[in-house]
Amino acid sequence: MGRVTSSVYPNPKSWNEAAFLHPHEPIRRDLDRMNYVLQEKFFPGPPEQQWKVHHFYNWYNDFFYPTIHHHHHIEDELVFPILEQRMKLAPSLTADHDQLLKLLDEIKFSEDMFNNALKFPPKDIQAKRLAAASHLRELVRQLRDHMLPHLADEERICDDLAKHFTEAEYNEIVKKIVMSLGFGGNKKVFPWIWESLCVWGTPANIAEFKATVPPPVLWLNNAFWIKDYKKLRLYLDSIEMDNDPIKPSRSCFCF
């Protein structure tokens, strides 16, 4: 078992303590990974390493941005309404999503600064690229600073979760989430959750989660999806490399 990044349940011992960690752990790990690869020593690199900029936004726009959007949509439209039938939830749990989505949009559109930098005279291009990278780092820092306490607030309701729902009842909610994602959504999200779970989860956590997932989803993940996910993940991981390991083709990993 690897390190759990949750400050609320750093050592989950029951189904309810682990319930929200399945989507939250990969979110926190991706935020940490973004912060790491966007350090000045890696990013954006000299102009001849413009591929690092392309790779970051390929990963962000094709994967992270739509995945977090979809995660919030599922919470607002499916999970929280079911929980509120038996529990009282703080309005901030959904209200926070507006600010987080705004920051997600700002990161998405920050790519324009890098594109515009290339329009300047050659002697000015690198200074403009460095300014764009500094702006991007600040936006990612803001996203992380807003996201982490929000995720912690959501996880704090899991103590009450076991008072109002049985494990079997919560598993039915998880199955509804899986069904709501459809084929394309599961292809994108499931290997992301699964890879993270294999890092932080105990054998019991993994077994409990597998019990909620339809067998065809598990089979497709093992046979195809995890491989596709790792290829897309390389767009982010490659940023700390000196040479581009990816063939010059744009990723397409959409819902």
Side-chain angles (χ1 to χ4, degrees):
M1 176 177 172
R3 182 177 67 90
V4 178
T5 62
S6 172
S7 61
V8 180
Y9 296 116
N11 186 26
K13 294 182 172 64
S14 59
W15 70 266
N16 58 301
E17 292 182 358
F20 282 16
L21 299 187
H22 297 123
H24 288 182
E25 284 295 300
I27 292 174
R28 282 188 287 258
R29 291 176 188 279
D30 279 355
L31 289 170
D32 287 346
R33 187 63 177 151
M34 274 194 281
N35 270 327
Y36 180 77
V37 301
L38 292 179
Q39 293 179 88
E40 291 182 32
K41 64 180 179 179
F42 301 130
F43 187 87
E48 57 267 26
Q49 288 185 333
Q50 182 68 8
W51 56 266
K52 293 191 175 190
V53 174
H54 296 321
H55 287 358
F56 173 79
Y57 286 102
N58 277 353
W59 174 82
Y60 182 84
N61 293 335
D62 288 354
F63 179 77
F64 190 78
Y65 178 87
T67 298
I68 304 305
H69 261 268
H70 205 63
H71 170 69
H72 289 162
H73 176 76
I74 287 173
E75 287 183 332
D76 293 344
E77 301 299 324
L78 196 160
V79 179
F80 290 164
I82 293 175
L83 298 187
E84 285 182 317
Q85 295 173 10
R86 305 184 191 182
M87 303 168 58
K88 182 174 177 59
L89 302 182
S92 62
L93 295 186
T94 52
D96 286 350
H97 290 170
D98 292 336
Q99 177 61 24
L100 291 169
L101 294 177
K102 180 176 180 292
L103 286 167
L104 287 165
D105 284 344
E106 289 186 34
I107 294 173
K108 179 182 176 71
F109 296 121
S110 68
E111 185 177 10
D112 291 342
M113 288 187 66
F114 289 98
N115 293 334
N116 291 334
L118 301 178
K119 300 175 183 178
F120 282 81
K123 66 181 180 65
D124 298 326
I125 286 178
Q126 183 63 353
K128 297 297 183 182
R129 292 177 75 249
L130 292 175
S134 179
H135 178 64
L136 173 59
R137 277 190 286 271
E138 174 60 20
L139 290 176
V140 171
R141 183 195 65 78
Q142 290 181 30
L143 178 63
R144 187 176 185 275
D145 287 350
H146 282 78
M147 183 72 79
L148 295 187
H150 169 71
L151 298 180
D153 285 344
E154 289 184 339
E155 287 164 13
R156 289 188 183 96
I157 73 173
C158 290
D159 275 343
D160 285 342
L161 192 62
K163 299 176 184 176
H164 300 280
F165 292 85
T166 65
E167 182 177 3
E169 287 174 326
Y170 186 76
N171 287 347
E172 288 302 312
I173 298 175
V174 174
K175 289 177 182 178
K176 289 181 180 180
I177 294 172
V178 172
M179 294 300 294
S180 74
L181 287 168
F183 180 86
N186 277 296
K187 177 182 178 182
K188 179 190 290 278
V189 174
F190 189 84
W192 176 66
I193 291 175
W194 181 256
E195 184 185 62
S196 175
L197 175 61
C198 290
V199 172
W200 68 263
T202 64
N205 295 140
I206 295 171
E208 289 169 0
F209 180 71
K210 285 178 69 175
T212 68
V213 180
V217 171
L218 292 171
W219 183 84
L220 285 165
N221 181 65
N222 292 333
F224 304 107
W225 295 349
I226 195 69
K227 297 174 186 176
D228 291 339
Y229 168 75
K230 288 180 177 179
K231 289 179 183 177
L232 181 65
R233 177 71 182 209
L234 186 58
Y235 279 87
L236 183 66
D237 291 341
S238 66
I239 293 172
E240 65 174 304
M241 303 177 187
D242 292 328
N243 299 306
D244 185 1
I246 300 174
K247 294 181 180 180
S249 61
R250 181 172 174 79
S251 163
C252 184
F253 201 92
C254 306
F255 280 112

